[in-house]
Amino acid sequence: MITAQGVSKNLQNLRNQTPLVHNITNYVVMNNTANALLSVGASPVMAHAPEEMEAMAGIASSLVINIGTLSKEWIEGMMTAGKTAHKRGIPLILDPVGAGATGFRTQTCHQIIKECKPDVIRGNASEIMALISSDVKTKGVDSTESSENAIELAKTLAKETGAVVSISGPVDYITDGASIFTIKNDIPLMPKVTGMGCTASALTGAVAAVCTDSLEAAATAMAIMAVAGEMTLPLAKGPGTFQAHFLDALYSMGDKEILQYLKL
Ligand SMILES: Nc1ncnc2c1ncn2[C@@H]1O[C@H](COP(=O)(O)OP(=O)(O)OP(=O)(O)O)[C@@H](O)[C@H]1O
Ligand SMILES: Cc1ncsc1CCO
Ligand SMILES: [Mg+2]
């Protein structure tokens, strides 16, 4: 079970421990994601050079691999960091950005899953579905499916890989193949800001660093996103001001807001 109290406790642990989160992420969101991690209370580093992947993943408390602006040169670094994380037993999060848009992305995700064994896979509905079904296409990085439609394939993906699967959308579903958690905060401005899903994956890495249960960690991160989104909505005039207020919400969120806004 995920509860508002559990989310509060995990957030407090995160702020107390300020875990180092190693992100191999895309050029679009590097800045936003680092700021979101700082705002919530984690310590971010963005690094992708193959030469330093063993060392950086070697000191981090968790690793987030995001394939958003993938190239052949980056894959080597991802594999080295991913294997280091797995060997050290630190949480590994995979964001399969654009899986189902191109075979290159889908195949790279399969390689990472096979060789690095992520603890959590967090993506939008069609990205998650494309990792199981070659019939599903993604519109660049945007989902072509509703999160409801992805539930069954997400459970299959979780059972086949041993990873918790976290599907984002107007309703989020987080499953380990047996249990499923639901977060029902629909915030229409969130998909109008690029990289909110990438932020969700980064926060999943931050929470997983302080919470050993991957299902609880993944659900907590989506809950923090949802509460921050609700706090931001009345303050934002549009996508531009949404971004700034969203960081403030991550920074100022307390037990009261979690209790008031979280819709499970
Ligand atoms: N109506 C909505 N549609 C999509 N996401 C929403 C909506 N309301 C809230 N969200 C939240 O927005 C965040 C981003 O979800 P989304 O599914 O857009 O990710 P994504 O497609 O991977 O995004 P990106 O690729 O831009 O990083 C999640 O935390 C999700 O819960
Ligand atoms: C727009 C975009 N393109 C590649 S990564 C990215 C950020 C959102 O996923
Ligand atoms: Mg995404």
Side-chain angles (χ1 to χ4, degrees):
M1 263 292 283
I2 173 189
T3 60
Q5 289 74 19
V7 172
S8 290
K9 182 201 71 190
N10 286 327
L11 179 57
Q12 199 179 338
N13 288 341
L14 168 55
R15 286 173 175 159
N16 289 339
Q17 294 179 38
T18 61
L20 175 61
V21 183
H22 175 190
N23 301 263
I24 305 176
T25 192
N26 64 75
Y27 294 116
V28 184
V29 305
M30 279 185 192
N31 180 280
N32 293 20
T33 309
N35 274 314
L37 284 166
L38 279 173
S39 296
V40 82
S43 174
V45 63
M46 281 42 194
H48 55 264
E51 293 84 349
E52 64 172 4
M53 285 302 92
E54 200 175 341
M56 193 62 84
I59 58 167
S61 297
S62 61
L63 171 67
V64 181
I65 298 181
N66 174 311
I67 66 155
T69 46
L70 193 61
S71 75
K72 202 171 71 192
E73 292 68 35
W74 280 40
I75 296 175
E76 182 194 344
M78 289 176 178
M79 299 310 298
T80 304
K83 285 178 190 168
T84 304
H86 183 61
K87 212 185 302 165
R88 290 187 59 223
I90 61 166
L92 169 60
I93 319 305
L94 172 64
D95 187 329
V97 183
T102 68
F104 178 52
R105 286 169 189 258
T106 311
Q107 280 147 29
T108 301
C109 288
H110 287 309
Q111 187 189 348
I112 294 168
I113 290 168
K114 185 162 169 248
E115 295 182 32
C116 309
K117 307 205 177 343
D119 298 284
V120 182
I121 303 170
R122 199 296 317 163
N124 66 38
S126 60
E127 289 164 349
I128 295 297
M129 293 169 83
L131 295 179
I132 287 286
S133 164
S134 55
D135 297 339
V136 179
K137 302 286 173 239
T138 299
K139 186 181 175 187
V141 299
D142 287 336
S143 186
T144 53
E145 296 281 347
S146 76
S147 43
E148 286 72 22
N149 283 352
I151 294 173
E152 286 314 312
L153 288 178
K155 283 185 176 168
T156 307
L157 182 64
K159 283 185 205 142
E160 282 188 6
T161 60
V164 164
V165 176
S166 175
I167 317 162
S168 59
V171 180
D172 305 317
Y173 297 96
I174 304 101
T175 183
D176 60 1
S179 310
I180 183 150
F181 293 156
T182 306
I183 293 167
K184 298 178 184 156
N185 300 75
D186 177 357
I187 298 140
L189 269 179
M190 283 179 80
K192 292 287 179 198
V193 175
T194 192
M196 292 306 279
C198 305
T199 296
S201 299
L203 295 195
T204 302
V207 180
V210 302
C211 171
T212 50
D213 181 331
S214 298
L215 185 61
E216 184 186 335
T220 295
M222 298 316 284
I224 292 170
M225 291 294 295
V227 173
E230 297 282 2
M231 289 168 68
T232 304
L233 199 55
L235 304 172
K237 294 196 183 118
T241 45
F242 190 96
Q243 279 195 293
H245 285 297
F246 188 81
L247 294 178
D248 293 348
L250 289 176
Y251 179 74
S252 65
M253 182 183 304
D255 300 353
K256 182 170 129 290
E257 287 82 11
I258 293 169
L259 209 54
Q260 180 181 347
Y261 290 121
L262 186 59
K263 294 184 196 156
L264 298 174

